[in-house]
Amino acid sequence: MAASVNPTVRRRRLGSELRRLRERKGLTAEEVASRLLVSQSKISRLENGRRSISPRDVRDLCQVYGVEDERVIESLMTMAKESRQRGWWHAFGDVPYSVYIGLEAEATVVRNYESLFIPGLLQTRDYAEAVVTGMQPEVPAEVVDQRVNVRLARQARITTDERPMRFWAVVDEAALHRQVGGNKVMGEQMRRLLEMSELPHVTIQVVPFDIGAHPGMTGAFSIMSFPESADADVVYLEGVTSDLYVERPMDVHRYTVMYEHLTAVSLGPTESRERITELADAYEAERPPGV
């Protein structure tokens, strides 16, 4: 499902290179903005990859940074052109968290922690529809369908036979007990988890109730790693009105350590499958889980 050229990753990589050139020149973003008669926020958005950049912008910045090697300039301008292309997800229309989808489409490893519901990459259609409808009851049916279709399309990153993504999911047991969509939907969702856990590149661990307080109680997050060494890990935090992308190495390290703690206190993969099987049996028998 990933496009041959990923515009989100290209923007991020280009922004990182432009930041490196600016810092090598000893200039602040404010100084660059002043020279180009643009806002400082524009320079910041270009450097963090949250805004597309034109080849003309690249050439102007290269002049300010004293870049004279035409091969370097041409390479950066090519990246700028590629960063303005449209990813596969744009075919679905205006999709929320499109930046995240672009990063996920390129990631080779995603470590995800969820506390309230099943990770999107592991959801069935019925479960996904119930989640979207329940979380956003004001959204029209056609928009719900659009968002569910995008979510299912994203799953190709772990179901494809070619270069599948390594997916590690740590799920709080509370998410397995929350009856989204009813017993039938939950029973099918538990069976999907068991099916996906058999894939060699997918690991699912459950944080059991009896572990008590744990580091993940601050909220859900994902850590994405990429194939190119130039693309540093990114931590994604989903918000109601906006999303947060954590990229500072020190902050990413803190989330990485937090994830290691979560995997340590969780049930192992085999024990997790046993717990999920118990829940699947309970839902299918239409009795309260744990009874």
Side-chain angles (χ1 to χ4, degrees), residues 18-256:
L18 291 173
R19 183 186 302 110
R20 186 187 68 80
L21 291 171
R22 173 177 61 76
E23 292 174 346
R24 188 180 69 177
K25 189 68 175 178
L27 296 172
T28 65
E30 185 177 9
E31 290 171 333
V32 174
S34 178
R35 293 192 187 189
L36 295 179
L37 301 179
V38 299
S39 66
Q40 180 181 345
S41 62
K42 175 179 178 178
I43 301 301
S44 297
R45 288 196 299 273
L46 293 179
E47 291 186 353
N48 64 26
R50 302 295 178 261
R51 171 177 175 154
S52 62
I53 180 170
S54 69
R56 180 177 177 178
D57 285 334
V58 168
R59 184 167 290 279
D60 289 344
L61 289 168
C62 284
Q63 289 178 349
V64 173
Y65 301 151
V67 180
E68 298 179 352
D69 190 330
E70 284 298 325
R71 292 173 300 179
V72 174
I73 297 173
E74 186 60 32
S75 175
L76 294 174
M77 291 179 68
T78 298
M79 291 176 67
K81 293 174 184 177
E82 293 175 344
S83 73
R84 297 172 72 84
Q85 295 181 17
R86 294 170 64 84
W88 63 261
W89 51 92
H90 289 108
F92 291 87
D94 185 17
V95 178
Y97 59 88
S98 60
V99 172
Y100 173 81
I101 296 175
L103 292 172
E104 181 188 81
E106 188 71 10
T108 52
V109 180
V110 171
R111 287 165 286 175
N112 177 224
Y113 167 70
E114 290 290 351
S115 58
L116 298 177
F117 48 79
I118 307 302
L121 291 179
L122 304 176
Q123 293 177 6
T124 64
R125 173 176 287 277
D126 288 343
Y127 183 93
E129 288 180 351
V131 167
V132 175
T133 302
M135 292 180 65
Q136 299 176 311
E138 77 286 355
V139 172
E142 60 271 19
V143 175
V144 171
D145 192 54
Q146 172 214 51
R147 295 182 181 178
V148 170
N149 287 335
V150 172
R151 186 165 301 182
L152 297 181
R154 288 167 47 209
Q155 296 177 1
R157 287 292 285 113
I158 56 176
T159 58
T160 181
D161 292 329
E162 298 183 11
R163 201 174 66 92
M165 179 179 70
R166 175 78 172 90
F167 186 59
W168 196 315
V170 175
V171 186
D172 195 291
E173 188 171 0
L176 307 181
H177 285 260
R178 185 175 299 280
Q179 296 192 36
V180 176
N183 284 323
K184 182 175 184 296
V185 170
M186 289 301 296
E188 292 173 349
Q189 180 61 70
M190 295 302 106
R191 295 300 177 190
R192 170 64 64 83
L193 291 180
L194 293 171
E195 176 188 347
M196 298 303 288
S197 71
E198 294 295 335
L199 295 175
H201 51 278
V202 174
T203 299
I204 300 175
Q205 289 186 256
V206 175
V207 185
F209 280 137
D210 58 14
I211 203 65
H214 59 78
M217 294 178 73
T218 54
F221 63 94
S222 293
I223 306 172
M224 292 173 280
S225 302
F226 305 92
E228 298 294 332
S229 59
D231 300 321
D233 289 1
V234 178
V235 176
Y236 170 73
L237 306 170
E238 184 177 359
V240 176
T241 58
S242 62
D243 301 326
L244 177 63
Y245 296 87
V246 178
E247 300 184 61
R248 283 178 39 184
M250 182 180 300
D251 295 333
V252 172
H253 176 70
R254 292 182 63 183
Y255 276 96
T256 301

